[in-house]
């Protein structure tokens, strides 16, 4: 049986080395030395035939989601599993939208990790257990929880106009913390994780 070539992309060296040690206990895996950035990963991919990439969302130099979006276009047959501490539904949904084949929380056990790698290397998707629960919970939310309030629509429009948080707070006579709370709720409703995605999604859905 041909071994599954796996690489870990995480900027925490101790975690990365620990993951590699765990993966090496499985005789079906060939573990490629991990990296901490997109630039390093691109160099490895150019010279190695990798099957599965375990990719963190929060990297020191860039967003793992932006890296995912770029590399799924450059390497369409490559299988990405997001391996992260983020269990917010917007990160799961954005990962799926950008081409991730699986999503694992760092608290996951050894067997779940191995199962995810086996599944995505065989062309399947892996969004199970706690992640599956998050997706089901989001799908079953009442429709009104997904609709933006008038205040939230105003804030999205102001962000789209290029206004920073302090300017929005001053204009609306509310605190900076309140603006940040509104933005968090907006992104959660829209299933996004950054301002550009928030604006684009709101426009696509004709919410503003």
């Amino acid at each position: 049986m041909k071994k599954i070539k796996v690489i870990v992309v995480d900027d925490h060296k101790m975690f990365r080395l620990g993951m590699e040690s765990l993966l090496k206990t499985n005789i079906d895996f060939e573990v490629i030395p991990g990296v901490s950035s997109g630039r390093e990963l691109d160099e490895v991919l150019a010279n190695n035939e990798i099957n599965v990439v375990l990719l963190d969302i929060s990297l020191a130099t860039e967003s793992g989601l932006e890296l995912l979006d770029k590399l799924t276009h450059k390497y369409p047959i490559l299988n990405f599993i997001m391996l992260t501490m983020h269990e917010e539904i917007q990160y799961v949904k954005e990962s799926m939208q950008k081409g991730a084949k699986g999503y694992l929380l760092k608290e996951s056990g050894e067997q779940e990790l191995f199962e995810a790698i086996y599944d995505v290397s065989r062309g399947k998707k892996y969004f199970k257990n706690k992640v599956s629960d998050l997706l089901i919970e989001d799908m079953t939310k009442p429709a009104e929880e997904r609709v933006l309030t008038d205040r939230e629509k105003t804030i999205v429009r102001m962000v789209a106009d290029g206004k920073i948080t302090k300017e929005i707070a001053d204009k609306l006579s509310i605190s900076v913390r309140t603006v940040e709370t509104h933005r968090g709720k907006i992104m959660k409703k829209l299933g996004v994780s950054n301002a550009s995605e928030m604006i684009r999604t709101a426009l696509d859905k004709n919410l503003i």
Side-chain angles (χ1 to χ4, degrees):
M1 177 181 173
K2 190 175 180 181
K3 291 196 173 187
I4 301 169
K5 293 185 178 181
V6 186
I7 187 169
V8 180
V9 184
D10 196 292
D11 60 344
H12 291 90
K13 186 175 182 180
M14 292 297 291
F15 176 81
R16 192 170 70 241
L17 294 176
M19 285 298 303
E20 291 174 356
S21 295
L22 176 60
L23 292 168
K24 287 175 181 177
T25 65
N26 190 314
I27 61 172
D28 292 333
F29 301 157
E30 179 181 338
V31 182
I32 308 301
V35 295
S36 62
S37 70
R39 179 185 58 77
E40 293 173 323
L41 176 60
D42 212 11
E43 291 175 359
V44 173
L45 293 176
N47 297 290
N48 294 272
E49 185 182 337
I50 307 293
N51 303 117
V52 177
V53 178
L54 298 174
L55 175 63
D56 192 10
I57 286 179
S58 301
L59 299 174
T61 58
E62 62 216 303
S63 161
L65 290 170
E66 291 178 2
L67 181 59
L68 170 69
D69 192 33
K70 179 175 69 176
L71 293 181
T72 49
H73 287 89
K74 188 172 183 179
Y75 303 97
I77 64 172
L78 193 57
N79 300 299
F80 285 89
I81 297 174
M82 308 311 290
L83 181 60
T84 176
M85 63 181 288
H86 294 292
E87 54 183 87
E88 295 85 357
I89 188 62
Q90 63 263 33
Y91 288 109
V92 180
K93 292 168 71 173
E94 188 171 354
S95 295
M96 295 173 71
Q97 291 165 0
K98 293 184 183 302
K101 301 294 179 59
Y103 195 102
L104 280 177
L105 299 176
K106 287 185 174 181
E107 65 186 39
S108 302
E110 173 184 327
Q111 290 307 312
E112 186 175 1
L113 171 65
F114 291 175
E115 182 184 353
I117 294 172
Y118 281 127
D119 278 3
V120 302
S121 69
R122 294 166 181 160
K124 300 179 181 179
K125 301 286 181 68
Y126 194 94
F127 298 91
K128 298 182 180 179
N129 301 323
K130 193 168 185 176
V131 173
S132 176
D133 291 342
L134 290 171
L135 288 167
I136 292 171
E137 180 185 352
D138 182 68
M139 289 170 60
T140 55
K141 280 182 180 176
E144 58 267 22
E145 290 189 26
R146 300 172 183 272
V147 179
L148 301 185
T149 65
D150 290 340
R151 172 55 60 90
E152 289 169 344
K153 290 178 181 179
T154 297
I155 290 174
V156 176
R157 291 191 194 99
M158 295 176 80
V159 172
D161 288 339
K163 289 184 171 53
I164 62 175
T165 302
K166 181 65 166 59
E167 291 175 316
I168 296 172
D170 291 344
K171 183 72 173 178
L172 299 178
S173 300
I174 57 179
S175 70
V176 168
R177 182 181 294 274
T178 299
V179 175
E180 291 173 345
T181 298
H182 279 305
R183 286 182 60 155
K185 289 180 179 178
I186 294 166
M187 288 192 285
K188 186 174 183 179
K189 285 183 178 182
L190 299 182
V192 299
S193 58
N194 58 59
S196 60
E197 287 282 342
M198 177 178 73
I199 296 165
R200 183 163 69 248
T201 302
L203 289 169
D204 289 345
K205 294 179 179 295
N206 294 315
L207 298 177
I208 59 172

